[in-house]
Amino acid sequence: MTTQITSAPPAAEPRKGDRRRPAGSPAANVGRPGFGWALPAAIFFTLFAIVPLIMVAVLSFMSWNGLGSPRFVGTENWSRLLDDPVMLKSIWITLLLTVLGIVVQTPLSILLGVWAAGHQRNRAVLSAIYFVPLLLSATAVSVLWRALLDPNFGIPAEATWLFGDGNLFGEQTTAIGVLAFVSTWQFTPFHTLIYQGAARAVPEVLYQAAEIDGAGRYRQFFHITLPQLRNSMITSMILMTVGGLTTFETVLILTQGGPGTDTTISAYYMYEKAFKSFDFGVGSAIALTLVVAATVISLVVVRVSGYDKMRSSMEGVS
Amino acid sequence: MKTRAHLPRLVACGAALTLALSLSACGNGDASSSDGKIHVLVYGDASNKVEKQIVDTFNKTSDVKAVLDTIPGADYQQKLQTIISTPQAPDIFFNWGGGSIQPFVKADLLLPLDDFIKKNPDLDNRFLPSVFNSAVVDGKPYGVPMRGTQPILLFHNKKVLDKAGVKAPQTWDELLDAVKKLKAEGVTPIALGGGDRWPTLMWFEYLYDRIAGPGLFQKALGGDTKAWESDDSKKALSMIRELVDAGAFGKNYDSVKYTNGASPALLASGKAGFELMGSWYYAQQQEDAKAFAEKDLGYTTFPIVPGGKGDATNVVGNTNNFYSVLKKTEHPEAVAEFLKLMYSDEFVKAQLAIGNLPTTTNTSQFLDSSANPDYSRFQYDLVAKAPAFQLSWDQAYPPAAGTPIQQAVQQFFNGQLDADGFIKAMQALPTE
């Protein structure tokens, strides 16, 4: 990345007050922006992420219904949460949905992405169509599918051989299935895009060499394409994990956590506690738990995958 | 992009609330209406037309002017609760009475209206008592009825009932009989938007009232959780079980919603015979299926349960909407004047014209000017004669109980909870 600094006049005649590049500084820093560049983002992040986070942490030790003054209650919210069967259940359902999302979406988006990176006829048109779901908001998507899946007037009514009585939202398995399906429908295009970009970046020479060695299309895919997609795969999976842990709108609109509490994921449970039951203390405790969990899981994924070392995917190319 | 956006957003909401709170703490004593006006906050929808008109009328004669603020959408309660302890709080606000204002009363934010009523007894006398009482908290009135009453009625499709040789049921046995006959015709006997959960709750509210009378629920609401274990309670549950097991609601009611028009469409299209719903159903069908609403939509009261303790004319539903007053209002006299307009002829006529049914004693004089005189008269007589009008359970309990009630109801219907499980769930509800 080139920045304006590199095109600044040489340091022969230093201007007054130019602190970033004092006269006679070694050329090592040429092209590296100073800390000042990060300041707006840092301020923004502190104001809208760090400060609220601290406040939520404080609030998790208080009892507050939004009216009057919060009352300090020590660890009561936390111990209530530990004994709450719905909380435990919500964690399992959240993890289940997250894992389901990754397992279903990853292979799908790799295949679609690699295909979309090619040069077939009509590819551009089809890719554009695949991309449409991503342009819709999660709310619109959920409302749409809720109507499409109505047992009496929607798809299930036309395909009774597949859906039976169509009670998709009345049972846990099918309700979770619908949630996973709708997320997949909406977010596969995004991950496809990541893989398409990555697949296009794979140097052509690798395939040419493989061809000379007599490798078929499947071997090329498994031995060249897939390994080259490694870093993109990690990026995509981290996004899926964090996205899965914070899924919210789909549950709010499609199932409202039901039947009973069978699809109450943690993020929805937090909303329910804070904004429907007006128990902001417990809501904050759930929020904090989610923040910690998402951070830990992301870090683990980064560590385990070796992404932090940024091992080059260009090994063996040059 | 999905990813990280949601969590911080929700977290930020929480923090914004904290901020709002600290602001209001600093600005201690700052009256809500420091601009010298009284602010009237209402749920933003089609009824705002009338409210605007009433505010204009008020401003013609009053020195202290009123301003109408609206909060659109279903998030009214959430947004109200966030601004009510800030300097932006209104002087007068719209609510559903009962549990929906109880937390505000507990937080000492509301003005009891007995002084207003002492000076002007009409503020009480001119409203139907069964309605007025549902905004009484701890023995003190905290609301004056506004907009209209919304009793729950049993609607039916006349054509479908005729074809199956069924009449609108007067008793529980006739209902069970109708269910059998409608099933034989291959239609879903009763349409139910179980996906929204509150329509399911309506069946509990009516059956409990018919079997045990209004006392049982009032006891439970007052903190006597033993009421849920009583024989009457168990009988009501067993009758609900019987109805569900008879296939009255079909098998996929939990996947059907009322709010997206799916369950009303079942009735309108002749795929179902009955639907239990609030009185707004008529207007809804008129919008969705005009021809059906005009020709084939029938309505009756909820069937009688023989031997039940509840009066057969008791009603369940949203008793009304109410205006409550904030304690810190700077213009109590102007507010009292404003509230008087809620039983004025102008108010009643304007509400009737848009299909709302006000619960003032003078309403009966103007029923003929309503959008549908027969229907309005039926409803008005029902409410006027009702010895008891049970506010919906999830509104009567404080907001914290709303979700647990709806969950328990849904789980009892679909068999995840048995009677004992349901009773336990209800006994665990927070009453304050």
Side-chain angles (χ1 to χ4, degrees):
Chain A
M1 185 167 66
T2 54
T3 66
Q4 287 151 310
I5 297 169
T6 50
S7 56
E13 270 182 282
R15 280 173 299 156
K16 264 189 179 170
D18 189 351
R19 282 196 209 129
R20 259 171 301 160
R21 298 186 61 202
S25 78
N29 275 344
V30 169
R32 296 226 167 182
F35 178 72
W37 292 82
L39 212 58
I43 291 174
F44 197 78
F45 188 72
T46 311
L47 214 61
F48 291 100
I50 307 283
V51 172
L53 197 61
I54 294 170
M55 286 174 133
V56 163
V58 173
L59 208 53
S60 74
F61 294 100
M62 295 181 149
S63 164
W64 189 42
N65 69 351
L67 304 169
S69 307
R71 192 165 43 86
F72 192 73
V73 292
T75 55
E76 191 192 303
N77 292 330
W78 289 94
S79 56
R80 257 169 68 197
L81 212 55
L82 280 178
D83 292 337
D84 186 351
V86 181
M87 182 63 201
L88 194 70
K89 191 172 165 186
S90 82
I91 292 172
W92 280 120
I93 299 169
T94 308
L95 290 179
L96 177 68
L97 270 171
T98 307
V99 171
L100 260 180
I102 293 173
V103 170
V104 177
Q105 290 180 45
T106 301
L108 256 180
S109 43
I110 289 179
L111 290 176
L112 280 171
V114 170
W115 173 81
H119 303 284
Q120 308 87 331
R121 264 207 299 173
N122 302 330
R123 181 201 52 77
V125 177
L126 281 171
S127 295
I129 295 172
Y130 285 142
F131 200 64
V132 166
L134 190 63
L135 302 178
L136 305 171
S137 76
T139 311
V141 168
S142 307
V143 170
L144 175 80
W145 278 106
R146 181 80 209 200
L148 283 175
L149 293 175
D150 181 88
N152 300 300
F153 302 100
I155 301 167
E158 303 300 322
T160 43
W161 55 271
L162 179 63
F163 291 100
D165 53 26
N167 194 19
L168 292 173
F169 296 98
E171 275 159 41
Q172 187 175 32
T173 12
T174 44
I176 286 179
V178 170
L179 288 174
F181 169 78
V182 171
S183 303
T184 303
W185 187 81
Q186 187 178 18
F187 291 109
T188 303
F190 172 71
H191 298 281
T192 300
L193 204 64
I194 294 183
Y195 288 118
Q196 181 191 8
R200 286 219 173 128
V202 177
E204 200 59 31
V205 309
L206 291 181
Y207 294 107
Q208 289 163 355
E211 209 127 298
I212 292 168
D213 289 344
R217 284 176 70 180
Y218 292 99
R219 286 194 70 156
Q220 287 183 19
F221 176 76
F222 283 107
H223 289 97
I224 300 172
T225 314
L226 263 192
Q228 293 288 321
L229 291 181
R230 192 161 157 276
N231 283 344
S232 309
M233 216 183 288
I234 294 160
T235 308
S236 153
M237 277 158 90
I238 291 176
L239 289 175
M240 282 182 193
T241 309
V242 178
L245 292 177
T246 55
T247 307
F248 176 71
E249 294 101 320
T250 37
V251 172
L252 175 73
I253 293 163
L254 283 169
T255 68
Q256 289 171 293
T261 55
D262 281 353
T263 57
T264 303
I265 55 165
S266 302
Y268 181 75
Y269 195 47
M270 162 180 67
Y271 166 80
E272 201 175 275
K273 280 289 176 198
F275 292 96
K276 285 181 103 175
S277 303
F278 296 110
D279 191 343
F280 288 97
V282 171
S284 301
I286 303 173
L288 210 59
T289 313
L290 266 175
V291 170
V292 172
T295 312
V296 169
I297 293 177
S298 300
L299 286 178
V300 167
V301 172
V302 168
R303 262 296 146 80
V304 168
S305 61
Y307 190 59
D308 55 334
K309 298 188 191 73
M310 278 293 177
R311 237 170 55 198
S312 172
S313 56
M314 299 299 244
E315 274 166 38
V317 175
S318 48
Chain B
M1 192 168 64
K2 181 187 197 168
T3 66
R4 292 175 186 269
H6 317 292
L7 194 59
R9 202 187 305 147
L10 280 165
V11 169
C13 282
L17 290 173
T18 333
L19 275 172
L21 171 92
S22 53
L23 283 177
S24 74
C26 305
N28 209 1
D30 259 11
S32 50
S33 49
S34 41
D35 59 356
K37 293 176 177 158
I38 52 175
H39 284 260
V40 182
L41 183 74
V42 294
Y43 187 92
D45 63 13
S47 294
N48 294 153
K49 203 167 76 183
V50 178
E51 277 126 27
K52 190 99 202 52
Q53 181 191 333
I54 296 296
V55 163
D56 289 343
T57 306
F58 175 76
N59 286 343
K60 269 180 210 149
T61 55
S62 173
D63 291 336
V64 182
K65 303 296 178 202
V67 182
L68 188 75
D69 301 321
T70 59
I71 293 181
D75 297 332
Y76 179 82
Q77 189 78 5
Q78 279 95 315
K79 288 180 182 158
L80 171 69
Q81 190 143 350
T82 34
I83 63 165
I84 202 150
S85 20
T86 72
Q88 281 77 43
D91 296 87
I92 304 171
F93 70 95
F94 159 108
N95 62 73
W96 291 267
S100 76
I101 51 167
Q102 200 206 47
F104 303 127
V105 175
K106 287 267 186 310
D108 201 26
L109 289 166
L110 299 192
L111 188 71
L113 302 179
D114 10 21
D115 282 350
F116 285 4
I117 292 167
K118 221 178 277 166
K119 276 183 212 149
N120 173 21
D122 279 355
L123 271 179
D124 181 347
N125 297 339
R126 297 285 293 271
F127 297 99
L128 300 181
S130 64
V131 170
F132 188 85
N133 286 339
S134 55
V136 172
V137 179
D138 297 336
K140 288 192 173 177
Y142 285 96
V144 166
M146 50 86 73
R147 291 196 180 179
T149 183
Q150 295 167 335
I152 294 167
L153 306 169
L154 187 61
F155 292 90
H156 60 258
N157 183 328
K158 289 180 195 164
K159 239 192 215 154
V160 172
L161 260 56
D162 280 348
K163 202 167 158 236
V166 176
K167 271 194 290 188
Q170 299 302 308
T171 67
W172 187 255
D173 288 335
E174 282 176 31
L175 179 69
L176 287 178
D177 186 53
V179 164
K180 219 181 287 167
K181 286 183 180 152
L182 286 167
K183 241 179 110 180
E185 284 287 317
V187 298
T188 307
I190 305 170
L192 176 65
D196 289 315
R197 305 201 262 196
W198 51 263
T200 313
L201 175 63
M202 292 174 171
W203 285 93
F204 287 74
E205 291 163 354
Y206 254 126
L207 258 176
Y208 266 82
D209 198 280
R210 287 283 186 270
I211 292 169
L216 188 152
F217 182 76
Q218 291 313 322
K219 256 195 225 160
L221 189 63
D224 179 5
T225 55
K226 281 265 181 291
W228 292 114
E229 294 168 21
S230 66
D231 290 343
D232 283 342
S233 169
K234 285 178 181 160
K235 187 179 173 201
L237 291 176
S238 74
M239 285 172 73
I240 291 171
R241 185 80 266 149
E242 190 187 3
L243 191 66
V244 176
D245 289 346
F249 304 99
K251 282 183 182 153
N252 51 28
Y253 48 83
D254 269 341
S255 303
V256 180
K257 279 193 145 198
Y258 173 80
T259 44
N260 66 5
S263 70
L266 275 177
L267 202 69
S269 65
K271 289 187 180 189
F274 296 98
E275 181 160 15
L276 188 65
M277 190 44 67
S279 58
W280 61 84
Y281 194 67
Y282 205 97
Q284 183 72 42
Q285 287 288 16
Q286 238 162 2
E287 204 172 299
D288 294 351
K290 205 166 189 318
F292 165 71
E294 276 161 14
K295 266 175 52 201
D296 297 322
L297 178 60
Y299 46 88
T300 48
T301 52
F302 194 82
I304 300 165
V305 174
K309 293 177 195 144
D311 199 296
T313 53
N314 280 353
V315 182
V316 162
N318 291 338
T319 47
N320 218 338
N321 297 123
F322 297 89
Y323 271 140
S324 291
V325 181
L326 253 75
K327 201 166 224 169
K328 61 180 180 181
T329 179
E330 278 182 344
H331 309 286
E333 294 84 12
V335 167
E337 285 303 311
F338 181 80
L339 293 180
K340 280 185 195 169
L341 291 176
M342 297 309 122
Y343 55 79
S344 68
D345 292 356
E346 182 197 351
F347 171 85
V348 173
K349 276 193 241 172
Q351 293 290 355
L352 282 169
I354 61 163
N356 286 345
L357 183 66
T359 50
T360 55
T361 47
N362 56 347
T363 300
S364 52
Q365 306 161 25
F366 303 108
L367 284 175
D368 289 333
S369 66
S370 117
N372 182 341
D374 284 345
Y375 184 60
S376 294
R377 194 169 291 285
F378 172 80
Q379 272 188 77
Y380 183 81
D381 287 345
L382 193 71
V383 175
K385 284 179 195 147
F389 193 147
Q390 174 55 55
L391 178 62
S392 300
W393 288 3
D394 52 352
Q395 294 291 352
Y397 267 97
T403 308
I405 290 177
Q406 294 188 358
Q407 279 166 356
V409 159
Q410 184 177 39
Q411 288 174 319
F412 180 75
F413 246 61
N414 72 16
Q416 280 182 327
L417 281 181
D418 57 7
D420 288 338
F422 179 82
I423 289 167
K424 268 204 197 105
M426 298 307 277
Q427 287 176 329
L429 293 177
T431 50
E432 59 180 67

